Structure formats: C-alpha cells, structure tokens
Amino acid sequence: MATQPEHRRSQFLQQDFQEELSFWNRHRLAPGFPDAATPSQLDRDRSMLRLEHAFMEELRAQVMADAAQAPTDPDGFINWFEGLKATGPGQHDRLFPWLAEEADRDELRWFLSQEAAGEAGFDDLVAMTQVKLPARAKLELARNYWDEMGRGNPKGMHGPMLGQLVDILELDTQIHHTVWESLALANAMTAMAASRCYAWHSVGALGVIELTAPDRSAHTAKALRRIGLSGSERRYFDLHAVLDVKHSRDWNDEAIRPLVEEDPRRATAMAEGALIRLHCGARCFSRYRAHLGVV
C-alpha cells in the first residue's frame, strides 16, 4: 500500500502551522516592553511553546533511529559527523548545479527569496546556543559569533550582507509567500537554539550548517556571478564558500569534540540536531526543484 507524504500525515509540516510559528517567533524574539506581557499573550506563549515542543519531538522521531547509530566516543563521532558532508540528507542535491549553470534571474530571485525568508539568523542562533555551555565550546561559539559580526566592523557583518542582496534583487521575503519547508527549517533552528532542552541539538545543527554550506554557497555565488552581480553584491555567498570551511574544522575540534569527551550522551543529541537540520534542508531542496521544474 502506498504511503502518504509525511506532510499530509503531520499537523506540523503544513503551511498554516509553520506560518503561525514563524509569526510567533518573530514576536517573541523581538525586543519589547513589560506591558506587552499581558495575560492573553502569556497564555498564547504557553500554548505555542507546547506546540513548538511537539513539532520538535516529531522531527526527532524521524531521525532518532539513524542518530542512535552514531558513535559516542569522540573520534568515532567526529568521523561520523564529518561523513555527513558526503552522505547526509540533501547533500549534493542537483538543484545547486542547476542554479549555477541554468537558472535565469527570476528563478534565482525566487530561490533566494525562499532562502532569505527562511534564514533564522546564524549570529542570533549561536548567541542563544552558547548560554551556559562549558568554557571551551563557549569560546569557540564566541569566536564564530565574532566572525558573524564582522569582528566589530559593520561592513563585515554577515546578516547585513544578506540584507543587501535582498534589497539589490528586490526579493520577496514575506512569510505568506514562503513555502512551509523553508519556514520549518528556520522554526526548527530557532526552537533548538531557544529551548535549553535542545541546546546540544543546536550545537549539532549549527555545526552541520558550517560543514555543508560551502559547496552550496559556491554554486549560488557562481549563479549570481553569471547573472551579472558584482563581487561586493555576491559577497555573502562568496564569503561562506570559503570561511565556513575553517569554521567547520574549528567547530568540530573546539566545540563538538570536547563536549562529547565530557559526556557521550551529547553525541546522540548533536547527531539528532544535525540530522534534523539536514532533513529540513532536503525538504526545501525538493520543494524548490518541484517549483522550478528541475528534473
């Protein structure tokens, strides 16, 4: 008997829910004032936190068996983790060579609109994740965060680089115009960083972004070069095609390895986080290919 796609069986892998969660995340993470903490808002926050947790537990259930196969000794886990670059879900997806070689300007604009709208903000995710981590891992996340912040130079901040590209290409990043797969990726990353019960998951998820982003960034940068964008205009992707190679090596050596050395249980949690992130990305790539007609 044929099975239904996972999104048809889930109350969470749906457009309406992911939009609602996205709007709530924007509201709860935005700086505010005490008078916004009304009884009705606190009730809504409690309700949304329960739904967010259920969403995350559904994502965990989808990867737990595979994550349980990851070694829990430091050397074995690092080897397993680094192997995700070659064999992890969504890796070497045919979408990216197609973007680099064939996509026209409007197709690239649609793709980048989805990616920008689903960007949870790597700098903020790192900042939330590092709270109360052991010192060695905390220092590595601090170094990574400082790079994301342009080492104190506003022109070098990674977030505004992406914002510049949004403005140059006039991208549409409205939540209502973003596919649920992209929203789900951002919402999952936000949940792992913001909820301390998923802190180790977040370390794994952020680490696997650094591990796998360079190839995709290089293809995207090539596409932007092909349609005529200058070096400064495509700098966000050119930078991540190179810098994340070092970030990944340092993250694995200075954050993941010592965390596993201290407590092997963290390896399984980080494996789950990494696989959740990769599966969310793979869903995005599949949806993007379907929309763009990439065969």
Side-chain angles (χ1 to χ4, degrees):
M1 179 181 296
T3 58
Q4 290 182 320
E6 62 180 349
H7 66 275
R8 294 189 181 171
R9 302 194 302 267
S10 168
Q11 74 176 93
F12 304 116
L13 302 184
Q14 304 285 346
Q15 189 73 30
D16 288 347
F17 175 76
Q18 294 301 329
E19 286 186 11
E20 182 181 16
L21 189 55
S22 295
F23 281 119
W24 177 68
N25 275 326
R26 287 190 180 183
H27 179 269
R28 71 158 166 161
L29 295 177
F33 296 96
D35 57 8
T38 62
S40 62
Q41 183 59 51
L42 293 173
D43 286 342
R44 173 167 172 75
D45 288 345
R46 282 191 289 268
S47 175
M48 291 303 298
L49 281 169
R50 286 194 293 269
L51 289 169
E52 179 188 62
H53 183 75
F55 164 54
M56 287 305 303
E57 288 304 293
E58 181 173 295
L59 295 184
R60 280 189 67 219
Q62 294 168 2
V63 304
M64 287 176 78
D66 288 337
Q69 301 303 311
T72 57
D73 65 284
D75 288 341
F77 184 72
I78 291 295
N79 287 337
W80 177 90
F81 191 84
E82 291 180 343
L84 294 173
K85 183 176 182 179
T87 63
Q91 296 313 292
H92 311 296
D93 193 284
R94 61 187 180 277
L95 170 69
F96 292 93
W98 180 85
L99 291 170
E101 302 293 344
E102 299 185 41
D104 63 27
R105 188 180 183 90
D106 286 340
E107 289 166 333
L108 276 171
R109 289 181 64 250
W110 183 88
F111 162 75
L112 290 168
S113 293
Q114 300 299 312
E115 290 286 279
E119 171 58 51
F122 196 90
D123 53 350
D124 289 338
L125 296 175
V126 172
M128 289 190 285
T129 300
Q130 61 80 36
V131 174
K132 301 298 183 182
L133 287 188
R136 187 172 169 186
K138 190 181 184 77
L139 284 168
E140 177 52 38
L141 268 66
R143 287 186 286 267
N144 189 291
Y145 177 79
W146 191 231
D147 281 348
E148 290 287 326
M149 298 300 291
R151 295 182 167 267
N153 181 355
K155 293 182 179 179
M157 293 173 64
H158 295 190
M161 286 183 200
L162 181 59
Q164 178 192 28
L165 190 61
V166 169
D167 293 339
I168 290 168
L169 293 176
E170 299 180 315
L171 303 182
D172 180 359
T173 59
Q174 296 181 66
I175 287 175
H176 287 311
H177 296 165
T178 306
V179 298
W180 70 260
E181 291 87 346
S182 180
L183 298 177
L185 188 155
N187 288 333
M189 292 301 301
T190 301
M192 286 187 277
S195 302
R196 301 316 290 163
C197 65
Y198 297 118
W200 311 122
H201 289 73
S202 188
V203 173
L206 292 169
V208 89
I209 291 175
E210 300 284 33
L211 179 72
T212 62
D215 288 346
R216 295 193 300 273
S217 295
H219 279 111
T220 306
K222 184 176 180 180
L224 294 174
R225 187 184 308 113
R226 182 170 52 78
I227 67 168
L229 268 65
S230 68
S232 63
E233 291 171 333
R234 62 176 190 270
R235 187 181 175 198
Y236 177 85
F237 288 101
D238 280 335
L239 181 65
H240 283 83
V242 176
L243 183 60
D244 285 351
V245 175
K246 180 180 185 302
H247 278 175
S248 176
R249 182 174 61 250
D250 292 344
W251 193 284
N252 294 351
D253 290 345
E254 298 299 321
I256 290 179
R257 178 181 291 277
L259 290 175
V260 175
E261 288 173 348
E262 291 179 9
D263 187 345
R265 295 176 301 171
R266 297 169 183 168
T268 304
M270 287 189 279
E272 289 181 358
L275 290 172
I276 286 170
R277 171 59 180 81
L278 292 178
H279 276 287
C280 284
R283 291 187 190 98
C284 288
F285 307 154
S286 178
R287 179 66 181 273
Y288 298 166
R289 280 190 276 103
H291 178 91
L292 296 167
V294 181
V295 297

